Amino acid sequence: MHFFKCSQGNPNPSPNPNSTNLNVSKTMQTSYFLRAVALINMAMPASSTMQRGRSIRRAAYASMARAAGSRRVWSRAVLRRLQHRRERLIRRPSGAGRRFVIRRRIRVSTPREPTQADVLRRLVPGGKAMDFCNLLEETANYIQCLSTQVSLMQTVADSISG
Amino acid sequence: MDFNEKDKFGMEKGSGGGGGGGGGGGGEHLSCQSSGIPSDWQIPLVSMVESFNPGLWNNPTTSSQNLGWSSSESIPKVPFFLQPVPAALPPSLSHIPADSAFIERAARFSCFNGGALSGVVSPFGPSEPLNPFSSVSRGVSGAQDSDLNLADAPGEHRSQSGSPMNKNRGKGSLQIRALSGEPGDTDTNGGSQEEETSTGEPSSKGLGAKKRKRINNQDLESDQQQGAPQLPAENAKDDSETKQMSESQATGKANGKQAKESSDAAKDDYIHVRARRGQATNSHSLAERVRREKISQRMKFLQDLVPGCSKVTGKAVMLDEIINYVQSLQRQVEFLSMKLATVNPRLDFNIEGLLAKDLLQSRGCSSSSIGFSPDIMHSQMHSSQQGLVHSGICSMVNPPDALRRAVNPQFAPMNGFKEPSSQMPNAWEDEHHNMAQMPFGTNPSLSTQELNAKPHDGFSM
């Protein structure tokens, strides 16, 4: 998975990731994603489709988060998750058994049925600790970036398979 | 302030000179402060001081000196009044929280100008105002107390000398030197060398404790003043007015608490919540109203963002739509990544060739397609007129479906299932069936179960 090192641990990050200019972030997203896909195909040509698909999906989210910058909660959550994954892979190279079992804290409170806000919290990365107001804001930005990513991926897929 | 110098000055002056210097300092103080303080509540303060002091100290010389002072000017009495309270009520002090609002009120009542709030906290730094507290806490005689407090007041005055005293700075500093000689002076009068040595050591812990004590002290004093029956009802009104004034004046201060308060005040100014007729006006309902307004504003923004959501009324239905849309987008990302993985062998070549072609066409200077930095990529992608990457960007900006058809018209069956996904997110389940029937990839491992399994349990990478 060294393509993540290339796509995220870039020494010179995007010039202005926090800019409100959507065109710039879209362009950055495109460049990140295309480079990541190229690196995936170079790095793992013989692996199965599922593996490659998962890494491409990870690359898609990573490019989204990178293009959105660190001002957003969801992008920070995505990047943190990828970072943890990388660290886990480094710490446990290949099937050496799970040494660190992270136990989730069991909630003592009585379980209530999840509201719609809870469903949305689960969908938006990093949304678990947000209040409803910020959750809506993050959701709006996340939807924007996600639709951009979907249209980008569709374009790439069309241009390739066409 | 040098301690030796202070001491020497005190020896020169003597006890009477200290009083005279204090009087001069107090007069200066009064002249500076009189602009910020309404003059009608100075008189009750004086009466209260006079009524309180004999109760607090049984020393008759203290009260006589005190009365002599209060006849000349009223304001320097107030820090004088502040001090004996811890001696009278030491155990209750620890229970009073150091609330910032209380500090502010106390600052207002201690007759320092509301604009120079930082002067209230800062003079308790490692300079001479420490001395009176130590002596007060030890229960020294009231005469010492009065002198020390008078020395204390101009010390604070000097610390806030930035705003009102800039004009006659030389004179003020001279007076302050004269006044700062007084603690040493009274110490020698009291004859206790122990206090003199104790005043020289500015231990930080004791400093913090004293500061806290002083602050609480002021709280207590302000509470007493507010609860005192002899205060007229106008005082309360003046109180609120001066509090607002000091809040508005405190916006530029660098102190942490005050900065927070001022930011709150600025935020309150910024939001401009006004209760309409019949609406509740307490702070909780105002905040709740602000929150609801914010939520509805963001809901409107999301309504524009999510297709098919503009006709929907009601928050719950709209949230349903939003959830469905996010889920469909995540599924689309997953599906498209799988699709990109299935068309791998040509994709491998294509992407590299695409990037290289784009780079070479745009500038013709870069030779490697992998080692470029994103800024170069960025500028080159902007300047490029041809190439697939550029068309991809264009199609992101424009409505995607038309351009997608323009890019590859042979992909018409694929379009048939892609179009509704961006418009009608609810119909996704049918689309999966369409996809399964389509002659799409050559890889049999890509099935609908795999695609459907993941995104139902939240966001997953």
Side-chain angles (χ1 to χ4, degrees):
Chain A
M1 294 300 155
H2 61 86
F3 73 93
F4 279 122
K5 249 174 266 173
C6 302
S7 70
Q8 288 170 31
N10 214 335
N12 41 3
S14 58
N16 194 4
N18 295 337
S19 81
T20 53
N21 193 0
L22 276 176
N23 267 335
V24 174
S25 74
K26 273 177 190 171
T27 317
M28 296 314 296
Q29 198 168 330
T30 313
S31 74
Y32 287 137
F33 181 66
L34 289 183
R35 285 194 317 158
V37 169
L39 280 167
I40 286 170
N41 288 325
M42 278 204 325
M44 34 196 300
S47 54
S48 76
T49 314
M50 282 303 288
Q51 271 183 341
R52 242 183 355 244
R54 275 192 203 131
S55 46
I56 285 175
R57 191 183 60 188
R58 244 176 280 128
Y61 282 117
S63 62
M64 267 171 60
R66 281 272 290 168
S70 62
R71 257 179 77 180
R72 290 286 160 189
V73 177
W74 66 264
S75 61
R76 267 180 280 149
V78 167
L79 291 179
R80 205 185 322 124
R81 209 172 294 185
L82 288 170
Q83 178 83 29
H84 283 183
R85 188 176 180 282
R86 239 179 300 153
E87 281 170 4
R88 216 172 51 220
L89 285 180
I90 289 169
R91 202 187 298 152
R92 185 165 54 91
S94 61
R98 185 177 270 198
R99 267 177 287 173
F100 302 101
V101 180
I102 300 169
R103 285 209 179 157
R104 303 227 163 191
R105 206 171 29 157
I106 301 166
R107 283 192 188 168
V108 243
S109 65
T110 57
R112 59 190 172 91
E113 64 172 40
T115 59
Q116 284 168 322
D118 294 333
V119 178
L120 198 59
R121 276 199 188 95
R122 242 185 6 198
L123 285 177
V124 177
K128 280 189 180 125
M130 268 191 276
D131 59 337
F132 190 61
C133 221
N134 292 327
L135 178 69
L136 287 184
E137 201 178 347
E138 288 295 321
T139 309
N141 190 266
Y142 184 59
I143 283 177
Q144 275 182 336
C145 288
L146 206 57
S147 54
T148 306
Q149 181 69 33
V150 166
S151 59
L152 160 71
M153 287 171 81
Q154 274 175 353
T155 315
V156 171
D158 291 349
S159 66
I160 284 167
S161 57
Chain B
M1 185 64 65
D2 193 3
F3 189 71
N4 293 328
E5 190 184 28
K6 202 193 306 178
D7 214 350
K8 186 180 69 187
F9 214 87
M11 291 298 279
E12 282 177 8
K13 277 260 178 181
S15 63
E28 178 89 20
H29 201 89
L30 176 63
S31 67
C32 289
Q33 301 295 332
S34 60
S35 63
I37 297 157
S39 61
D40 50 347
W41 54 280
Q42 291 172 7
I43 298 134
L45 281 187
V46 174
S47 66
M48 215 171 72
V49 165
E50 287 173 4
S51 65
F52 259 78
N53 272 329
L56 289 173
W57 300 311
N58 296 325
N59 200 346
T61 61
T62 316
S63 63
S64 68
Q65 201 178 0
N66 185 14
L67 285 174
W69 275 106
S70 64
S71 62
S72 59
E73 63 268 338
S74 59
I75 303 264
K77 279 302 143 217
V78 180
F80 172 60
F81 177 64
L82 295 184
Q83 308 295 330
V85 181
L89 308 161
S92 66
L93 287 176
S94 58
H95 304 300
I96 301 170
D99 195 358
S100 54
F102 270 131
I103 295 167
E104 193 179 315
R105 241 188 296 154
R108 179 172 29 83
F109 269 110
S110 63
C111 290
F112 303 123
N113 197 355
L117 271 180
S118 64
V120 182
V121 185
S122 58
F124 307 118
S127 58
E128 62 277 354
L130 279 182
N131 311 348
F133 306 137
S134 59
S135 60
V136 167
S137 60
R138 275 177 215 168
V140 208
S141 74
Q144 260 189 352
D145 277 347
S146 68
D147 275 344
L148 288 169
N149 296 327
L150 285 173
D152 184 17
E156 294 176 351
H157 191 80
R158 185 190 55 174
S159 73
Q160 59 181 349
S161 71
S163 46
M165 287 248 317
N166 268 337
K167 288 162 242 168
N168 45 6
R169 190 173 200 155
K171 189 184 156 197
S173 64
L174 205 149
Q175 278 182 350
I176 283 156
R177 271 187 66 182
L179 291 169
S180 63
E182 283 172 15
D185 176 26
T186 50
D187 283 345
T188 50
N189 279 340
S192 61
Q193 294 292 327
E194 183 196 350
E195 284 173 9
E196 202 171 312
T197 54
S198 73
T199 51
E201 46 179 13
S203 73
S204 65
K205 182 177 164 240
L207 197 152
K210 280 158 197 164
K211 200 191 293 180
R212 172 67 59 86
K213 191 186 279 182
R214 171 62 184 268
I215 286 164
N216 291 335
N217 200 354
Q218 286 177 348
D219 297 349
L220 216 159
E221 191 260 348
S222 67
D223 281 343
Q224 280 183 357
Q225 280 192 353
Q226 277 187 342
Q230 67 238 41
L231 283 181
E234 292 174 3
N235 259 358
K237 208 184 289 177
D238 284 338
D239 175 9
S240 62
E241 284 175 6
T242 48
K243 184 180 177 184
Q244 285 177 355
M245 192 183 68
S246 63
E247 267 184 2
S248 63
Q249 280 176 348
T251 45
K253 297 304 164 194
N255 200 339
K257 273 179 199 162
Q258 286 156 14
K260 206 194 294 172
E261 277 181 9
S262 66
S263 73
D264 284 345
K267 211 165 88 179
D268 286 344
D269 284 344
Y270 179 67
I271 290 182
H272 280 304
V273 194
R274 296 203 61 175
R276 281 190 221 108
R277 192 185 164 93
Q279 283 179 329
T281 53
N282 67 359
S283 62
H284 289 284
S285 34
L286 280 181
E288 178 61 25
R289 202 173 302 132
V290 168
R291 180 176 161 269
R292 277 198 300 259
E293 276 174 16
K294 244 195 268 179
I295 285 177
S296 67
Q297 179 189 340
R298 277 158 199 180
M299 278 288 194
K300 261 176 213 150
F301 184 58
L302 274 170
Q303 211 171 15
D304 296 338
L305 216 61
V306 177
C309 201
S310 54
K311 298 186 187 75
V312 174
T313 58
K315 208 172 90 174
V317 190
M318 219 155 75
L319 266 180
D320 266 339
E321 290 290 320
I322 290 166
I323 288 167
N324 282 333
Y325 188 58
V326 172
Q327 273 180 342
S328 77
L329 281 176
Q330 284 178 353
R331 275 191 218 119
Q332 266 178 305
V333 166
E334 193 175 352
F335 164 69
L336 283 169
S337 57
M338 285 298 169
K339 190 178 152 195
L340 285 180
T342 50
V343 285
N344 173 41
R346 273 191 300 157
L347 173 70
D348 189 11
F349 175 68
N350 268 352
I351 292 265
E352 278 184 30
L354 186 135
L355 289 179
K357 191 174 74 177
D358 193 58
L359 288 178
L360 289 177
Q361 273 182 357
S362 58
R363 290 290 162 87
C365 59
S366 81
S367 55
S368 75
S369 65
I370 301 299
F372 52 82
S373 71
D375 345 333
I376 298 172
M377 176 81 180
H378 171 212
S379 60
Q380 281 169 347
M381 274 171 30
H382 263 304
S383 60
S384 71
Q385 297 301 317
Q386 298 142 359
L388 284 169
V389 178
H390 188 69
S391 75
I393 297 163
C394 284
S395 75
M396 279 190 293
V397 176
N398 294 330
D401 286 329
L403 253 169
R404 212 183 308 131
R405 280 200 207 94
V407 166
N408 38 6
Q410 71 269 29
F411 226 74
M414 282 301 275
N415 275 340
F417 100 92
K418 262 184 247 162
E419 275 171 4
S421 64
S422 60
Q423 289 162 2
M424 298 172 54
N426 286 329
W428 181 255
E429 299 302 323
D430 303 332
E431 289 154 21
H432 269 298
H433 293 298
N434 286 345
M435 186 200 65
Q437 293 162 3
M438 250 182 324
F440 156 60
T442 54
N443 204 330
S445 72
L446 183 66
S447 69
T448 41
Q449 278 83 21
E450 284 169 349
L451 286 175
N452 275 331
K454 265 290 165 72
H456 286 296
D457 46 66
F459 171 77
S460 61
M461 298 276 299

PDB file of all heavy atoms in Angstrom, chain B residues 341-368:
ATOM      1  N   ALA B 341     -11.323  -1.024 -10.979  1.00  0.00           N
ATOM      2  CA  ALA B 341     -10.423  -2.146 -10.731  1.00  0.00           C
ATOM      3  C   ALA B 341     -10.599  -3.249 -11.757  1.00  0.00           C
ATOM      4  O   ALA B 341      -9.647  -3.954 -12.093  1.00  0.00           O
ATOM      5  CB  ALA B 341     -10.667  -2.707  -9.332  1.00  0.00           C
ATOM      6  N   THR B 342     -11.830  -3.394 -12.235  1.00  0.00           N
ATOM      7  CA  THR B 342     -12.037  -4.471 -13.199  1.00  0.00           C
ATOM      8  C   THR B 342     -11.426  -4.152 -14.549  1.00  0.00           C
ATOM      9  O   THR B 342     -10.984  -5.060 -15.249  1.00  0.00           O
ATOM     10  CB  THR B 342     -13.539  -4.725 -13.396  1.00  0.00           C
ATOM     11  OG1 THR B 342     -14.159  -3.478 -13.640  1.00  0.00           O
ATOM     12  CG2 THR B 342     -14.129  -5.392 -12.199  1.00  0.00           C
ATOM     13  N   VAL B 343     -11.417  -2.928 -14.903  1.00  0.00           N
ATOM     14  CA  VAL B 343     -10.853  -2.597 -16.206  1.00  0.00           C
ATOM     15  C   VAL B 343      -9.369  -2.274 -16.091  1.00  0.00           C
ATOM     16  O   VAL B 343      -8.834  -1.472 -16.840  1.00  0.00           O
ATOM     17  CB  VAL B 343     -11.608  -1.435 -16.871  1.00  0.00           C
ATOM     18  CG1 VAL B 343     -12.920  -1.912 -17.400  1.00  0.00           C
ATOM     19  CG2 VAL B 343     -11.809  -0.303 -15.899  1.00  0.00           C
ATOM     20  N   ASN B 344      -8.766  -2.950 -15.155  1.00  0.00           N
ATOM     21  CA  ASN B 344      -7.408  -2.631 -14.792  1.00  0.00           C
ATOM     22  C   ASN B 344      -6.397  -2.668 -15.931  1.00  0.00           C
ATOM     23  O   ASN B 344      -5.689  -1.685 -16.140  1.00  0.00           O
ATOM     24  CB  ASN B 344      -6.986  -3.576 -13.673  1.00  0.00           C
ATOM     25  CG  ASN B 344      -5.531  -3.433 -13.354  1.00  0.00           C
ATOM     26  OD1 ASN B 344      -5.031  -2.324 -13.323  1.00  0.00           O
ATOM     27  ND2 ASN B 344      -4.873  -4.552 -13.149  1.00  0.00           N
ATOM     28  N   PRO B 345      -6.296  -3.766 -16.707  1.00  0.00           N
ATOM     29  CA  PRO B 345      -5.115  -3.896 -17.577  1.00  0.00           C
ATOM     30  C   PRO B 345      -4.945  -2.742 -18.549  1.00  0.00           C
ATOM     31  O   PRO B 345      -3.834  -2.269 -18.763  1.00  0.00           O
ATOM     32  CB  PRO B 345      -5.374  -5.211 -18.320  1.00  0.00           C
ATOM     33  CG  PRO B 345      -6.320  -5.951 -17.474  1.00  0.00           C
ATOM     34  CD  PRO B 345      -7.141  -4.944 -16.787  1.00  0.00           C
ATOM     35  N   ARG B 346      -6.052  -2.294 -19.062  1.00  0.00           N
ATOM     36  CA  ARG B 346      -5.906  -1.153 -19.966  1.00  0.00           C
ATOM     37  C   ARG B 346      -5.782   0.148 -19.189  1.00  0.00           C
ATOM     38  O   ARG B 346      -5.160   1.089 -19.628  1.00  0.00           O
ATOM     39  CB  ARG B 346      -7.091  -1.087 -20.904  1.00  0.00           C
ATOM     40  CG  ARG B 346      -6.889  -1.930 -22.139  1.00  0.00           C
ATOM     41  CD  ARG B 346      -7.957  -1.624 -23.133  1.00  0.00           C
ATOM     42  NE  ARG B 346      -9.271  -1.914 -22.575  1.00  0.00           N
ATOM     43  CZ  ARG B 346     -10.385  -1.346 -23.038  1.00  0.00           C
ATOM     44  NH1 ARG B 346     -10.336  -0.480 -24.006  1.00  0.00           N
ATOM     45  NH2 ARG B 346     -11.541  -1.656 -22.502  1.00  0.00           N
ATOM     46  N   LEU B 347      -6.429   0.156 -18.018  1.00  0.00           N
ATOM     47  CA  LEU B 347      -6.387   1.358 -17.194  1.00  0.00           C
ATOM     48  C   LEU B 347      -4.957   1.704 -16.799  1.00  0.00           C
ATOM     49  O   LEU B 347      -4.571   2.870 -16.758  1.00  0.00           O
ATOM     50  CB  LEU B 347      -7.229   1.132 -15.953  1.00  0.00           C
ATOM     51  CG  LEU B 347      -7.189   2.194 -14.883  1.00  0.00           C
ATOM     52  CD1 LEU B 347      -7.896   3.430 -15.363  1.00  0.00           C
ATOM     53  CD2 LEU B 347      -7.821   1.691 -13.617  1.00  0.00           C
ATOM     54  N   ASP B 348      -4.217   0.640 -16.527  1.00  0.00           N
ATOM     55  CA  ASP B 348      -2.840   0.849 -16.123  1.00  0.00           C
ATOM     56  C   ASP B 348      -2.097   1.677 -17.155  1.00  0.00           C
ATOM     57  O   ASP B 348      -1.449   2.668 -16.849  1.00  0.00           O
ATOM     58  CB  ASP B 348      -2.184  -0.534 -15.981  1.00  0.00           C
ATOM     59  CG  ASP B 348      -0.825  -0.413 -15.348  1.00  0.00           C
ATOM     60  OD1 ASP B 348      -0.531   0.688 -14.852  1.00  0.00           O
ATOM     61  OD2 ASP B 348      -0.082  -1.402 -15.358  1.00  0.00           O
ATOM     62  N   PHE B 349      -2.248   1.236 -18.364  1.00  0.00           N
ATOM     63  CA  PHE B 349      -1.562   1.973 -19.427  1.00  0.00           C
ATOM     64  C   PHE B 349      -2.222   3.322 -19.660  1.00  0.00           C
ATOM     65  O   PHE B 349      -1.553   4.321 -19.876  1.00  0.00           O
ATOM     66  CB  PHE B 349      -1.595   1.135 -20.704  1.00  0.00           C
ATOM     67  CG  PHE B 349      -1.039   1.837 -21.896  1.00  0.00           C
ATOM     68  CD1 PHE B 349       0.309   2.123 -21.966  1.00  0.00           C
ATOM     69  CD2 PHE B 349      -1.867   2.240 -22.916  1.00  0.00           C
ATOM     70  CE1 PHE B 349       0.818   2.804 -23.052  1.00  0.00           C
ATOM     71  CE2 PHE B 349      -1.356   2.914 -23.991  1.00  0.00           C
ATOM     72  CZ  PHE B 349      -0.009   3.199 -24.064  1.00  0.00           C
ATOM     73  N   ASN B 350      -3.520   3.310 -19.586  1.00  0.00           N
ATOM     74  CA  ASN B 350      -4.245   4.506 -20.003  1.00  0.00           C
ATOM     75  C   ASN B 350      -3.977   5.696 -19.107  1.00  0.00           C
ATOM     76  O   ASN B 350      -3.795   6.802 -19.592  1.00  0.00           O
ATOM     77  CB  ASN B 350      -5.746   4.210 -19.995  1.00  0.00           C
ATOM     78  CG  ASN B 350      -6.181   3.744 -21.362  1.00  0.00           C
ATOM     79  OD1 ASN B 350      -5.380   3.804 -22.296  1.00  0.00           O
ATOM     80  ND2 ASN B 350      -7.404   3.291 -21.464  1.00  0.00           N
ATOM     81  N   ILE B 351      -3.980   5.449 -17.819  1.00  0.00           N
ATOM     82  CA  ILE B 351      -3.838   6.585 -16.920  1.00  0.00           C
ATOM     83  C   ILE B 351      -2.464   7.191 -17.065  1.00  0.00           C
ATOM     84  O   ILE B 351      -2.312   8.411 -17.166  1.00  0.00           O
ATOM     85  CB  ILE B 351      -4.074   6.126 -15.472  1.00  0.00           C
ATOM     86  CG1 ILE B 351      -5.536   5.734 -15.290  1.00  0.00           C
ATOM     87  CG2 ILE B 351      -3.694   7.207 -14.507  1.00  0.00           C
ATOM     88  CD1 ILE B 351      -6.398   6.799 -14.766  1.00  0.00           C
ATOM     89  N   GLU B 352      -1.476   6.323 -17.133  1.00  0.00           N
ATOM     90  CA  GLU B 352      -0.135   6.867 -17.288  1.00  0.00           C
ATOM     91  C   GLU B 352      -0.003   7.605 -18.603  1.00  0.00           C
ATOM     92  O   GLU B 352       0.534   8.716 -18.648  1.00  0.00           O
ATOM     93  CB  GLU B 352       0.888   5.735 -17.219  1.00  0.00           C
ATOM     94  CG  GLU B 352       1.231   5.348 -15.794  1.00  0.00           C
ATOM     95  CD  GLU B 352       2.305   4.300 -15.787  1.00  0.00           C
ATOM     96  OE1 GLU B 352       3.126   4.320 -16.729  1.00  0.00           O
ATOM     97  OE2 GLU B 352       2.330   3.477 -14.874  1.00  0.00           O
ATOM     98  N   GLY B 353      -0.525   6.959 -19.640  1.00  0.00           N
ATOM     99  CA  GLY B 353      -0.432   7.615 -20.932  1.00  0.00           C
ATOM    100  C   GLY B 353      -1.220   8.918 -20.961  1.00  0.00           C
ATOM    101  O   GLY B 353      -0.792   9.912 -21.561  1.00  0.00           O
ATOM    102  N   LEU B 354      -2.323   8.868 -20.243  1.00  0.00           N
ATOM    103  CA  LEU B 354      -3.179  10.054 -20.198  1.00  0.00           C
ATOM    104  C   LEU B 354      -2.476  11.208 -19.504  1.00  0.00           C
ATOM    105  O   LEU B 354      -2.450  12.340 -19.990  1.00  0.00           O
ATOM    106  CB  LEU B 354      -4.437   9.638 -19.454  1.00  0.00           C
ATOM    107  CG  LEU B 354      -5.639  10.503 -19.294  1.00  0.00           C
ATOM    108  CD1 LEU B 354      -6.833   9.643 -19.571  1.00  0.00           C
ATOM    109  CD2 LEU B 354      -5.695  10.962 -17.871  1.00  0.00           C
ATOM    110  N   LEU B 355      -1.851  10.872 -18.389  1.00  0.00           N
ATOM    111  CA  LEU B 355      -1.142  11.921 -17.658  1.00  0.00           C
ATOM    112  C   LEU B 355       0.050  12.421 -18.456  1.00  0.00           C
ATOM    113  O   LEU B 355       0.288  13.622 -18.568  1.00  0.00           O
ATOM    114  CB  LEU B 355      -0.677  11.386 -16.310  1.00  0.00           C
ATOM    115  CG  LEU B 355      -1.783  11.131 -15.289  1.00  0.00           C
ATOM    116  CD1 LEU B 355      -1.183  10.595 -14.021  1.00  0.00           C
ATOM    117  CD2 LEU B 355      -2.526  12.403 -15.013  1.00  0.00           C
ATOM    118  N   ALA B 356       0.775  11.474 -19.033  1.00  0.00           N
ATOM    119  CA  ALA B 356       1.965  11.872 -19.768  1.00  0.00           C
ATOM    120  C   ALA B 356       1.577  12.700 -20.986  1.00  0.00           C
ATOM    121  O   ALA B 356       2.217  13.709 -21.303  1.00  0.00           O
ATOM    122  CB  ALA B 356       2.732  10.626 -20.208  1.00  0.00           C
ATOM    123  N   LYS B 357       0.511  12.247 -21.643  1.00  0.00           N
ATOM    124  CA  LYS B 357       0.073  12.980 -22.829  1.00  0.00           C
ATOM    125  C   LYS B 357      -0.349  14.398 -22.447  1.00  0.00           C
ATOM    126  O   LYS B 357       0.002  15.369 -23.118  1.00  0.00           O
ATOM    127  CB  LYS B 357      -1.100  12.236 -23.467  1.00  0.00           C
ATOM    128  CG  LYS B 357      -1.460  12.746 -24.836  1.00  0.00           C
ATOM    129  CD  LYS B 357      -2.511  11.891 -25.466  1.00  0.00           C
ATOM    130  CE  LYS B 357      -3.846  12.157 -24.828  1.00  0.00           C
ATOM    131  NZ  LYS B 357      -4.924  11.389 -25.478  1.00  0.00           N
ATOM    132  N   ASP B 358      -1.055  14.461 -21.342  1.00  0.00           N
ATOM    133  CA  ASP B 358      -1.519  15.766 -20.904  1.00  0.00           C
ATOM    134  C   ASP B 358      -0.346  16.677 -20.571  1.00  0.00           C
ATOM    135  O   ASP B 358      -0.316  17.849 -20.954  1.00  0.00           O
ATOM    136  CB  ASP B 358      -2.397  15.591 -19.676  1.00  0.00           C
ATOM    137  CG  ASP B 358      -3.144  16.853 -19.364  1.00  0.00           C
ATOM    138  OD1 ASP B 358      -3.884  17.305 -20.237  1.00  0.00           O
ATOM    139  OD2 ASP B 358      -2.949  17.374 -18.265  1.00  0.00           O
ATOM    140  N   LEU B 359       0.612  16.115 -19.880  1.00  0.00           N
ATOM    141  CA  LEU B 359       1.753  16.937 -19.495  1.00  0.00           C
ATOM    142  C   LEU B 359       2.553  17.353 -20.717  1.00  0.00           C
ATOM    143  O   LEU B 359       2.947  18.514 -20.847  1.00  0.00           O
ATOM    144  CB  LEU B 359       2.648  16.153 -18.540  1.00  0.00           C
ATOM    145  CG  LEU B 359       2.087  15.962 -17.136  1.00  0.00           C
ATOM    146  CD1 LEU B 359       3.043  15.147 -16.311  1.00  0.00           C
ATOM    147  CD2 LEU B 359       1.859  17.309 -16.509  1.00  0.00           C
ATOM    148  N   LEU B 360       2.766  16.390 -21.600  1.00  0.00           N
ATOM    149  CA  LEU B 360       3.599  16.717 -22.754  1.00  0.00           C
ATOM    150  C   LEU B 360       2.894  17.693 -23.678  1.00  0.00           C
ATOM    151  O   LEU B 360       3.523  18.539 -24.298  1.00  0.00           O
ATOM    152  CB  LEU B 360       3.954  15.440 -23.514  1.00  0.00           C
ATOM    153  CG  LEU B 360       4.942  14.543 -22.774  1.00  0.00           C
ATOM    154  CD1 LEU B 360       5.181  13.266 -23.553  1.00  0.00           C
ATOM    155  CD2 LEU B 360       6.238  15.281 -22.554  1.00  0.00           C
ATOM    156  N   GLN B 361       1.628  17.555 -23.777  1.00  0.00           N
ATOM    157  CA  GLN B 361       0.907  18.480 -24.653  1.00  0.00           C
ATOM    158  C   GLN B 361       0.893  19.886 -24.097  1.00  0.00           C
ATOM    159  O   GLN B 361       0.946  20.855 -24.839  1.00  0.00           O
ATOM    160  CB  GLN B 361      -0.529  17.999 -24.818  1.00  0.00           C
ATOM    161  CG  GLN B 361      -0.671  17.002 -25.946  1.00  0.00           C
ATOM    162  CD  GLN B 361      -2.108  16.594 -26.110  1.00  0.00           C
ATOM    163  OE1 GLN B 361      -2.959  17.033 -25.341  1.00  0.00           O
ATOM    164  NE2 GLN B 361      -2.368  15.760 -27.094  1.00  0.00           N
ATOM    165  N   SER B 362       0.767  19.966 -22.794  1.00  0.00           N
ATOM    166  CA  SER B 362       0.579  21.302 -22.236  1.00  0.00           C
ATOM    167  C   SER B 362       1.878  22.098 -22.239  1.00  0.00           C
ATOM    168  O   SER B 362       1.922  23.221 -22.713  1.00  0.00           O
ATOM    169  CB  SER B 362       0.050  21.186 -20.816  1.00  0.00           C
ATOM    170  OG  SER B 362       0.968  20.427 -20.057  1.00  0.00           O
ATOM    171  N   ARG B 363       2.934  21.499 -21.741  1.00  0.00           N
ATOM    172  CA  ARG B 363       4.166  22.263 -21.622  1.00  0.00           C
ATOM    173  C   ARG B 363       5.277  21.758 -22.525  1.00  0.00           C
ATOM    174  O   ARG B 363       6.043  22.533 -23.058  1.00  0.00           O
ATOM    175  CB  ARG B 363       4.681  22.232 -20.168  1.00  0.00           C
ATOM    176  CG  ARG B 363       3.800  23.018 -19.240  1.00  0.00           C
ATOM    177  CD  ARG B 363       3.939  24.508 -19.531  1.00  0.00           C
ATOM    178  NE  ARG B 363       2.826  25.237 -18.977  1.00  0.00           N
ATOM    179  CZ  ARG B 363       2.804  25.694 -17.736  1.00  0.00           C
ATOM    180  NH1 ARG B 363       3.832  25.466 -16.958  1.00  0.00           N
ATOM    181  NH2 ARG B 363       1.779  26.355 -17.286  1.00  0.00           N
ATOM    182  N   GLY B 364       5.337  20.440 -22.654  1.00  0.00           N
ATOM    183  CA  GLY B 364       6.400  19.897 -23.452  1.00  0.00           C
ATOM    184  C   GLY B 364       7.744  19.936 -22.770  1.00  0.00           C
ATOM    185  O   GLY B 364       8.775  19.752 -23.406  1.00  0.00           O
ATOM    186  N   CYS B 365       7.763  20.189 -21.530  1.00  0.00           N
ATOM    187  CA  CYS B 365       9.044  20.319 -20.845  1.00  0.00           C
ATOM    188  C   CYS B 365       9.272  19.197 -19.846  1.00  0.00           C
ATOM    189  O   CYS B 365      10.408  18.821 -19.591  1.00  0.00           O
ATOM    190  CB  CYS B 365       9.145  21.663 -20.141  1.00  0.00           C
ATOM    191  SG  CYS B 365       7.851  21.916 -18.945  1.00  0.00           S
ATOM    192  N   SER B 366       8.218  18.653 -19.309  1.00  0.00           N
ATOM    193  CA  SER B 366       8.435  17.645 -18.276  1.00  0.00           C
ATOM    194  C   SER B 366       8.516  16.283 -18.921  1.00  0.00           C
ATOM    195  O   SER B 366       7.760  15.940 -19.829  1.00  0.00           O
ATOM    196  CB  SER B 366       7.289  17.676 -17.276  1.00  0.00           C
ATOM    197  OG  SER B 366       6.206  16.973 -17.792  1.00  0.00           O
ATOM    198  N   SER B 367       9.438  15.495 -18.479  1.00  0.00           N
ATOM    199  CA  SER B 367       9.649  14.205 -19.121  1.00  0.00           C
ATOM    200  C   SER B 367       9.005  13.081 -18.330  1.00  0.00           C
ATOM    201  O   SER B 367       8.519  12.118 -18.900  1.00  0.00           O
ATOM    202  CB  SER B 367      11.149  13.942 -19.256  1.00  0.00           C
ATOM    203  OG  SER B 367      11.749  14.051 -17.983  1.00  0.00           O
ATOM    204  N   SER B 368       9.003  13.162 -17.044  1.00  0.00           N
ATOM    205  CA  SER B 368       8.453  12.062 -16.247  1.00  0.00           C
ATOM    206  C   SER B 368       7.030  12.394 -15.835  1.00  0.00           C
ATOM    207  O   SER B 368       6.716  13.525 -15.491  1.00  0.00           O
ATOM    208  CB  SER B 368       9.305  11.846 -15.012  1.00  0.00           C
ATOM    209  OG  SER B 368       9.055  12.863 -14.078  1.00  0.00           O
TER     210      SER B 368
END
